[in-house]
Amino acid sequence: MTLGPSAQQWAAAVAAVRSAGLDDEIQLICHVNPDGDALGSMLGFGLGLRRLGFTRVRATFPGDFVVPTPYQRLPGADLLVPEPDAFADPRLVLVFDVASESRLGALAGRLAAAPASVVLDHHASNTGFGGVRLVDPQAAATSVVADGLLSRLGVPLDPEIAECLYVALATDTGSFKFDMTTVSVHELAARLIATGIRPGEISRQIFDSKPFGAMKLTGEVLGRAVLEPAAAGGRGMVWTYATLADLERYGQPPYVLDTLIDPVRSVAEADVSVVVKQVAAGEWSVSLRSKGAVDVSGVAVSQGGGGHRLAAGFTGYGEPSDVVDTVRRLVDEHLN
Ligand code: AMP
Ligand code: MN
Ligand code: MN
């Protein structure tokens, strides 16, 4: 059940790309609130399409057109357009790092209407939408799948494509720390670095560069974290939350909270970590992590979200305490 794409699916994806004329409209789409994998795999592949001679390639994602500052300088960022400027009726649609159509917002219709579409993803919870499905739950990042398709299309790696794919790979492996960091991940990283990109420089820009206000905000939100040793069948749960008012007080955009889960999940006394981030009045984006005791993907899917076994998310409603009550109950139902 965790098998990657079949030879037929790879062939169908190559055929779908080759079915487009060089002047046809090609729309690339990644998930709402894009992260390094969503943007890196999409832009790296978009640059590959340019190398093949395709002249009309656009990249977008649903919702507010906010590209996190560290990603604004990615090669291929000039392919990005806000959702309203996406091609209305593209000949070919390619989708990156999207576990379910809900993460495409109104752009899901663009995918359904296109004569050809290819979904590149690595979420175990992928719901199986789209035309040709290249979904590999064993892949550490969607950029692994993008690399597989680029090589089958005969596009050689160059430093620009490599930088995009490297950012995606480094993001989704937690800088080569997570379980998915396999031999083949390091082999791909080696091929990417061999193009001449500078991993130290890239990591500094992507992971180790934050506004002072974001650091202060992180301090305040971490300061209100709660440890519940009895939760998760006694394996422990730690949680915190951040409101829109918190963001406003420090003058920060929502995406600065995307990495807040990392210090929270490092708490030794808790298997499960939770960060509840306000999106709108009564609406919260919930990040879940486990060290192995809980299938948090199951928790997220039961709430209409998705993700991986040890890293998942969903949208919750009410007060943060309501969301945490729900998570506490569901975690007990999804103990491994
Ligand atoms: P995050 O906590 O936002 O870093 O997300 C962790 C994982 O869960 C990522 O693989 C996301 O793609 C996935 N994920 C987060 N939120 C959702 C959601 N609402 N629906 C589906 N998948 C999600
Ligand atoms: Mn993602
Ligand atoms: Mn990903």
Side-chain angles (χ1 to χ4, degrees):
M1 100 208 201
T2 51
L3 285 182
S6 64
Q8 286 89 338
Q9 284 172 316
W10 284 117
V14 169
V17 172
R18 296 224 171 101
S19 74
L22 291 180
D23 296 321
D24 280 343
E25 293 176 346
I26 302 180
Q27 184 64 55
L28 314 185
I29 313 174
C30 70
H31 64 71
V32 63
N33 302 325
D35 53 24
D37 187 29
L39 288 167
S41 59
M42 177 169 74
L43 297 179
F45 195 84
L47 289 171
L49 291 176
R50 264 194 187 154
R51 308 287 188 260
L52 287 170
F54 292 102
T55 58
R56 303 173 77 189
V57 180
R58 290 182 186 170
T60 195
F61 52 87
D64 291 343
F65 189 58
V66 177
V67 179
T69 307
Y71 304 133
Q72 286 174 11
R73 292 173 49 195
L74 277 177
D78 58 302
L79 295 168
L80 285 168
V81 298
E83 176 177 357
D85 296 339
F87 291 123
D89 202 8
R91 170 68 182 72
L92 170 65
V93 172
L94 294 118
V95 174
F96 297 84
D97 203 39
V98 173
S100 66
E101 281 176 289
S102 64
R103 304 269 283 163
L104 286 172
L107 290 164
R110 224 63 63 88
L111 174 71
S117 66
V118 184
V119 171
L120 295 83
D121 189 35
H122 68 126
H123 291 90
S125 67
N126 186 287
T127 55
F129 60 95
V132 180
R133 293 183 286 276
L134 300 179
V135 180
D136 185 355
Q138 309 280 12
T142 295
S143 67
V144 173
V145 182
D147 171 69
L149 186 52
L150 286 172
S151 70
R152 284 168 174 83
L153 286 164
V155 180
L157 293 174
D158 61 37
E160 291 192 320
I161 295 173
E163 180 169 341
C164 290
L165 300 187
Y166 185 87
V167 164
L169 194 60
T171 301
D172 267 26
T173 58
S175 293
F176 307 96
K177 287 188 296 191
F178 297 160
D179 278 348
M180 292 284 207
T181 310
T182 57
V183 169
S184 66
V185 163
H186 281 292
E187 284 170 349
L188 173 56
R191 284 195 286 122
L192 299 173
I193 294 170
T195 65
I197 61 170
R198 306 271 299 272
E201 184 67 26
I202 293 170
S203 298
R204 208 161 22 253
Q205 282 179 23
I206 301 292
F207 304 115
D208 300 332
S209 173
K210 279 190 184 61
F212 185 67
M215 188 271 285
K216 298 286 280 184
L217 168 65
T218 301
E220 186 171 333
V221 174
L222 291 179
R224 65 169 80 118
V226 177
L227 176 65
E228 300 187 14
R235 302 290 291 272
M237 179 170 101
V238 58
W239 61 271
T240 190
Y241 68 94
T243 64
L244 292 176
D246 293 327
L247 290 169
E248 196 171 333
R249 229 173 23 264
Y250 290 99
Q252 296 300 313
Y255 69 76
V256 303
L257 299 173
D258 287 353
T259 51
L260 192 65
I261 191 73
D262 291 323
V264 179
R265 73 180 167 77
S266 69
V267 171
E269 295 92 333
D271 181 276
V272 175
S273 46
V274 187
V275 176
V276 180
K277 297 165 279 190
Q278 189 172 26
V279 178
E283 185 180 336
W284 307 81
S285 168
V286 186
S287 287
L288 302 171
R289 300 290 186 274
S290 167
K291 293 172 187 153
V294 176
D295 173 11
V296 290
S297 170
V299 173
V301 167
S302 78
Q303 296 299 294
H308 313 277
R309 206 169 54 83
L310 303 181
F314 69 94
T315 301
Y317 301 94
E319 296 296 320
S321 58
D322 300 323
V323 176
V324 173
D325 286 348
T326 303
V327 170
R328 193 185 298 108
R329 178 173 53 77
L330 289 169
V331 154
D332 279 331
E333 289 173 16
H334 289 86
L335 288 171
N336 284 318

